[in-house]
Amino acid sequence: MGDFLSTPDKSKESSDGENTYIKYGSSAMQGWRYRMEDAHLNQLNNNNYDIFGVFDGHGGKEVSIFVKNHFIKEFMNNKNTKYENIPDSLIETFLKMDELLKTKEGKEELYMLNKMSKAEDEEQDKKNKKNTENDFYKYLDPKNSEDCDIANITGCTACVVIIDEKYKRIYFANAGDSRAVICKKGIGYQMSHDHKPDSAKEKNRIYKSGGWVNEGRIKGNLNLSRSLGDFEYKQDKNLSPKDQMITAYPEINIELLDDTCEFIILGCDGIWDCLTPQEACDYVKDKLYDKEGKPKENIKLSKIIEQMMDDIIAEDINNENGIGCDNMSCIIIQFKHNKNNEK
C-alpha cells in the first residue's frame, strides 16, 4: 500500500469484453497511493470457463502480479479442472501459487518484478518532484538484496470468479478481504467472506499456530488472516498449509446461474471500504437502466467503474481516515439473459 501522493493519480487501466453469455468491464486506478499494488485478470471462453480475479497486493506489487501471471495456467492444468471438479481445483490452485512462489524460478521472477517496480518508483519520484528525504529508507529496503525472499514480506489477497457456461454454475473463491457480490433481482448478495484476524474462526487458527492478534492485526502487523505469499507467517513445518497462521486456503461458494442473476461486482477492499454490497449494486443498476427501467444502449461497463472510482475517491486524505485513499480495482460481469429485463 505504501506512502501517499500529494495529489491522486486518477488514470485508469480499463478493458471490456463479451461473449455469447456475458459481457464484462474492468478498471484499476492507483489513486492516492504511492504505487499501484493491485492486479486483476479477465479471460473469456477458456474451455467453457470464464475466469476473473482481483489480487490486492501489500508490501509491494510483486506477488499480486505473479499470481495474475500464473493463475489461469495452473487452474486449467489442474487435474480437477479436467474432471470438472472446480471447487477442488480452485483450492489446489490457490495453494499452488504459494508453492510456485517458493521455487527457484518463482523467486527469480519476483526479483525481476521488484526491479521493474523500483524503476517505476523512480519515474514516480521524478513525476512528482519528490525529494530524497526517504532515500535512506529505500537503501535499507531488504528487497535490495538479491538473496531476499520477497514473498516472505510481500503478499496479496485473491478473489476469483469462475463461470461454468456448460453446467450453469458460478464459483467464488476467496482468500483475504477482496470481495465478490452478485446482484439478483436488484438485491446484492456477498459471495465471499472477509478474512480478518478478529473473526472467531480466523483468530482460533491464528492462536493455535502460535500467533496473536492486537488491534485487528496479526502480531500487530498484518490486518488479513488469509493471503498468498506472506511466508513470514507460514513457517511452522508441523502444520498443513490450511492451518498456518496466515493461509492461502480459500473459501468456496457456488451459485446456480439462472435468470435471476443480473451481474457480479468483483473488487478489492479499496472499493468496499467506500460502498456496501447493496450500494454498489444500486450504483451499477442506475447506470445500466433509465428512469423507466429500460436498458440503456451501448453502455461500457468499464466506464461505469471509472465513474464510480472518481465518485468514491477521497477528496482530501487528511479528512477521510484513509477511506477512499487506497488503490482501486473492480470488475463488473453482466449476464446477457438480463439485458432486456426491467429494473
Side-chain angles (χ1 to χ4, degrees):
M1 292 165 60
D3 299 329
F4 291 109
L5 298 172
S6 56
T7 57
D9 183 347
K10 293 185 179 182
S11 60
K12 316 288 196 306
E13 176 192 340
S14 301
S15 66
D16 292 89
E18 63 182 302
N19 62 15
T20 304
Y21 299 97
I22 64 173
K23 62 185 295 188
Y24 78 84
S26 66
S27 189
M29 181 179 75
Q30 181 174 331
W32 286 98
R33 293 292 183 180
Y34 179 70
R35 67 175 61 86
M36 182 56 162
E37 297 185 347
D38 293 351
H40 65 277
L41 60 84
N42 317 297
Q43 188 175 98
L44 300 176
N45 307 326
N46 196 328
N47 194 28
N48 293 318
Y49 299 116
D50 304 311
I51 306 170
F52 304 90
V54 168
F55 313 106
D56 185 350
H58 47 265
K61 64 174 67 175
E62 297 90 348
V63 172
S64 61
I65 296 176
F66 181 96
V67 173
K68 172 187 176 180
N69 291 344
H70 293 274
F71 191 93
I72 292 177
K73 178 182 177 181
E74 293 302 325
F75 171 77
M76 295 306 302
N77 288 340
N78 188 280
K79 64 182 185 298
N80 288 298
T81 302
K82 296 175 182 178
Y83 291 117
E84 300 178 336
N85 181 357
I86 304 307
D88 283 354
S89 179
L90 281 166
I91 291 169
E92 291 184 6
T93 303
F94 271 60
L95 298 178
K96 183 69 172 181
M97 293 298 101
D98 269 6
E99 294 176 16
L100 291 178
L101 287 165
K102 294 177 181 178
T103 64
K104 179 177 180 292
E105 295 78 10
K107 292 178 180 180
E108 290 174 350
E109 182 175 338
L110 289 175
Y111 181 70
M112 293 306 298
L113 289 170
N114 176 250
K115 288 183 67 176
M116 293 172 56
S117 178
K118 288 185 181 298
E120 291 170 2
D121 286 352
E122 290 177 2
E123 289 300 315
Q124 181 98 278
D125 288 347
K126 293 177 183 178
K127 178 181 176 181
N128 292 278
K129 300 179 180 179
K130 191 171 182 179
N131 60 37
T132 59
E133 64 184 15
N134 291 323
D135 284 354
F136 178 71
Y137 297 100
K138 292 180 181 179
Y139 178 76
L140 294 177
D141 185 351
K143 294 182 185 178
N144 289 332
S145 172
E146 290 190 19
D147 60 357
C148 173
D149 192 342
I150 291 174
N152 265 9
I153 55 178
T154 307
C156 74
T157 69
C159 192
V160 173
V161 173
I162 307 288
I163 299 171
D164 183 341
E165 297 178 0
K166 180 179 179 180
Y167 292 108
K168 306 301 180 188
R169 289 184 175 88
I170 311 169
Y171 298 89
F172 301 85
N174 183 60
D177 62 359
S178 294
R179 190 180 296 175
V181 171
I182 188 168
C183 184
K184 303 180 70 173
K185 294 185 176 181
I187 306 299
Y189 298 91
Q190 187 169 329
M191 300 304 297
S192 59
H193 175 73
D194 295 351
H195 296 124
K196 293 294 191 179
D198 276 334
S199 71
K201 181 179 179 181
E202 302 297 297
K203 184 180 287 188
N204 183 53
R205 187 191 71 249
I206 293 165
Y207 276 85
K208 277 187 175 181
S209 61
W212 46 272
V213 178
N214 181 41
E215 295 184 350
R217 295 178 177 272
I218 298 178
K219 292 187 172 181
N221 184 22
L222 198 60
N223 67 343
L224 295 169
S225 54
R226 301 195 192 194
S227 69
L228 312 183
D230 292 316
F231 293 139
E232 176 186 351
Y233 302 91
K234 303 174 180 178
Q235 297 291 324
D236 194 331
K237 296 181 180 180
N238 295 317
L239 296 175
S240 69
K242 185 178 181 180
D243 296 324
Q244 295 291 333
M245 194 179 307
I246 288 180
T247 179
Y249 195 93
E251 286 191 325
I252 309 293
N253 284 301
I254 306 171
E255 187 75 16
L256 292 178
L257 176 52
D258 58 28
D259 288 346
T260 68
C261 300
E262 299 179 68
F263 54 83
I264 294 167
I265 305 174
L266 182 60
C268 66
D269 67 336
I271 300 295
W272 305 113
D273 285 344
C274 302
L275 297 171
T276 67
Q278 190 58 52
E279 287 172 342
C281 288
D282 291 344
Y283 187 99
V284 172
K285 288 211 71 169
D286 284 344
K287 304 301 180 185
L288 291 175
Y289 299 92
D290 62 23
K291 293 181 179 179
E292 286 73 39
K294 296 180 180 180
K296 298 178 182 178
E297 297 294 331
N298 302 317
I299 298 296
K300 277 194 171 184
L301 296 177
S302 65
K303 295 302 180 183
I304 295 177
I305 300 171
E306 290 179 2
Q307 185 174 345
M308 178 173 67
M309 291 175 174
D310 286 339
D311 287 344
I312 65 178
I313 189 172
E315 294 183 3
D316 184 350
I317 59 174
N318 297 315
N319 296 318
E320 299 289 343
N321 296 320
I323 302 300
C325 299
D326 207 348
N327 298 149
M328 296 183 185
S329 294
C330 185
I331 305 170
I332 298 174
I333 308 156
Q334 184 183 18
F335 299 101
K336 288 188 174 181
H337 59 235
N338 272 283
K339 65 181 180 179
N340 294 318
N341 282 4
E342 292 189 353
K343 192 173 180 180

